[in-house]
Amino acid sequence: MSHRKSKGPPGRPRRVGWLYVAPALVVYAVFLLWPLLRGFWFSLYDWDGVGVGTWTGLSNYVETLTDPSLRAAFGHALILIIFYAVIPCCLAFVLVAIVSRTRIRGLTFFRTVLFLPQVVAMVAVGLAWNWVYSPDGPINDVLRLLHRLGLPDWSRGWL
């Protein structure tokens, strides 16, 4: 029984490694890269989706970026992102840094108060989905309505 000598130092990438990664790369290319490239290509045309498109180049992008109502919408979205994502995250980082570097009485209480909004939000989401999937929730209400219209009864306790 002979041992084959490897063609490089241990841990060095070999061609066989690409065989393990190839299926994921193919799925990534087919379902993400190809539609993304196709969408970009379509955006370079003036096309109604049915007839033959006419080449416009980057004029669609120029028109989009110079539209005042769209720029206003982007500005409003940016303000919302700043006030609902950037500022709360920065404040949370500062508070965590202050709490973790100081020795104060009631440190556990302060950690709990800082962590509580995360827990409350998750509990609220969990309760909402529990209600949606409950036997008397809205999904089963719609399914019972469809049963009255002649479809089979698909209502059940989903959880």
Side-chain angles (χ1 to χ4, degrees), residues 122-142 144 156-159:
M122 292 301 283
V123 168
V125 168
L127 288 173
W129 282 109
N130 190 19
W131 169 70
V132 166
Y133 286 127
S134 69
D136 57 340
I139 290 179
N140 281 331
D141 289 345
V142 170
R144 283 187 202 98
R156 63 181 54 119
W158 297 96
L159 298 177

Side-chain angles (χ1 to χ4, degrees), residues 72-142:
F74 281 137
H76 294 146
L78 183 64
I79 290 170
L80 287 173
I81 289 170
I82 289 170
F83 280 104
Y84 287 105
V86 174
I87 291 175
C89 285
C90 289
L91 285 175
F93 289 143
V94 168
L95 289 173
V96 166
I98 291 171
V99 167
S100 66
R101 298 202 184 265
T102 59
R103 288 235 186 260
I104 55 175
R105 274 183 69 177
L107 184 61
T108 306
F109 170 76
F110 289 115
R111 285 183 180 162
T112 304
V113 167
L114 290 175
F115 189 65
L116 201 58
Q118 296 296 322
V119 174
V120 169
M122 292 301 283
V123 168
V125 168
L127 288 173
W129 282 109
N130 190 19
W131 169 70
V132 166
Y133 286 127
S134 69
D136 57 340
I139 290 179
N140 281 331
D141 289 345
V142 170

